[in-house]
Amino acid sequence: QVQLVESGGGLVQAGGSLRLSCAAPGRFFSIDDMGWYRQAPGKQRELVARISGSGTTNYADSVKGRFTISGDIAKKMVDLQMNSLKPEDTAVYYCNAGRWQLMRYDYWGQGTQVTVSS
């Protein structure tokens, strides 16, 4: 199973900023969109932000105005700039890439921990 390569994350105080980056391996086939999900302890994995090949973005309501997703789908790279972080943003963040070929195929990174202290 192909895995995406993530970097960034770590520990930051509330109000601080972090940047996550993700790239697909060079031998990866074409993809249609990339995004970030997160999973906090005891909770389901949820979409944080996604960007399509056309540049269309969508965000979870909880991060709108604070997080910005950017990337180049053709180059299979995506970043997530996280500002004004809150303790409730603490979670493992997973990079996701999606490909449509009759059905959707999802590919994931191994996850990176983001911890926001109060």
Side-chain angles (χ1 to χ4, degrees):
Q1 181 71 16
V2 176
Q3 275 201 325
L4 308 177
V5 180
E6 301 156 340
S7 62
L11 173 64
V12 66
Q13 289 188 332
S17 299
L18 284 173
R19 187 176 185 88
L20 306 181
S21 296
C22 174
R27 58 183 172 82
F28 210 98
F29 28 71
S30 64
I31 56 175
D32 296 303
D33 58 68
M34 295 186 75
W36 291 92
Y37 287 69
R38 67 186 181 187
Q39 187 167 20
K43 295 187 177 181
Q44 289 188 334
R45 190 174 297 190
E46 63 175 358
L47 174 68
V48 176
R50 177 180 289 155
I51 184 167
S52 71
S54 65
T56 300
T57 58
N58 61 290
Y59 296 90
D61 288 342
S62 59
V63 307
K64 284 181 181 176
R66 300 187 298 121
F67 291 11
T68 302
I69 190 169
S70 61
D72 188 330
I73 301 303
K75 294 182 179 179
K76 307 180 187 63
M77 301 171 63
V78 66
D79 292 336
L80 184 68
Q81 178 66 40
M82 304 183 292
N83 298 328
S84 302
L85 283 160
K86 303 176 181 180
E88 51 263 45
D89 294 318
T90 295
V92 178
Y93 284 69
Y94 296 90
C95 182
N96 167 270
R99 180 171 68 96
W100 286 94
Q101 188 173 4
L102 300 181
M103 60 179 284
R104 181 176 173 89
Y105 294 85
D106 285 289
Y107 304 91
W108 298 92
Q110 62 183 15
T112 184
Q113 178 70 45
V114 171
T115 303
V116 185
S117 63
S118 57

